[in-house]
Amino acid sequence: MSGIDFQFDYGIKLADVGLGNAGDLGVNIVLSYLDKYKIQNLADAPFLDYAGTIGNAQIDPGATAFPRWKLNLSTTYKIGPVELTGTYRWYDSLSHYSDVGVSNPSRPGSAAIDYVDLVGRVGINDRLQLRVGVQNLFDTQPPKWVGFGATDLGLYDILQRRFFVGLRQRF
């Protein structure tokens, strides 16, 4: 397996750019590129590259998708005790693993997919924090790539849209 990961973090006080007491803004970007994911099925068999494919459960039956590109972008705005974070997740399209090494690929893969999540936090006092949020805001359905609703449970959001509320107390 080989690839490259890129991460960029940046934060700024909006007062530093002339916006008064408008709070803070932060950005986090994680971009991953999977160059190779080679597996040798038998001792004398050639290595086959499964980067960019879905369906091969030889290594881990719970993680069968190996997108070439993955992106996670988060933006956080904070003012006083209030913090809002929006996250965008994107996964590249995938081809069917059975088509690796085949000259005429014919099996369905899965399309690229994106998700949006939102989280709000409010500090009620120095020790108590309230969190509320929604994951998969637009209720994006996981891709079906071989029929019968099969999908990668480790990569795709199979629970679709969901909401949460939480309290955090420090003692």
Side-chain angles (χ1 to χ4, degrees):
M1 176 185 276
S2 68
I4 189 166
D5 296 322
F6 169 80
Q7 181 168 345
F8 174 79
D9 294 291
Y10 185 75
I12 187 169
K13 294 188 178 299
L14 296 176
D16 292 346
V17 292
L19 294 176
N21 194 15
D24 302 333
L25 189 63
V27 175
N28 169 265
I29 300 170
V30 178
L31 179 65
S32 296
Y33 175 73
L34 179 61
D35 183 44
K36 296 175 186 147
Y37 190 81
K38 292 186 176 184
I39 298 173
Q40 184 182 32
N41 294 320
L42 300 170
D44 293 333
F47 281 87
L48 298 176
D49 188 359
Y50 290 95
T53 66
I54 187 169
N56 188 333
Q58 293 179 52
I59 304 298
D60 181 352
T64 62
F66 309 101
R68 284 210 183 267
W69 290 99
K70 294 191 291 186
L71 171 70
N72 190 316
L73 166 67
S74 294
T75 302
T76 300
Y77 174 69
K78 183 176 181 180
I79 185 164
V82 177
E83 182 177 302
L84 300 171
T85 300
T87 301
Y88 172 74
R89 298 176 284 144
W90 175 81
Y91 306 113
D92 199 5
S93 62
L94 299 164
S95 59
H96 197 287
Y97 79 101
S98 294
D99 285 339
V100 171
V102 175
S103 59
N104 293 321
S106 61
R107 293 169 186 88
S110 67
I113 195 165
D114 27 15
Y115 298 106
V116 175
D117 307 323
L118 297 174
V119 177
R121 292 180 181 85
V122 176
I124 297 170
N125 59 41
D126 290 343
R127 297 182 356 202
L128 184 63
Q129 181 185 71
L130 171 68
R131 284 183 310 130
V132 296
V134 58
Q135 291 179 300
N136 194 355
L137 177 66
F138 300 112
D139 200 23
T140 304
Q141 304 293 312
K144 296 177 184 173
W145 58 275
V146 294
F148 307 113
T151 193
D152 183 297
L153 305 177
L155 183 68
Y156 298 114
D157 194 341
I158 62 167
L159 298 177
Q160 283 112 11
R161 182 186 307 132
R162 57 204 178 276
F163 301 89
F164 63 89
V165 175
L167 278 174
R168 178 179 173 191
Q169 173 72 47
R170 286 186 281 173
F171 295 98

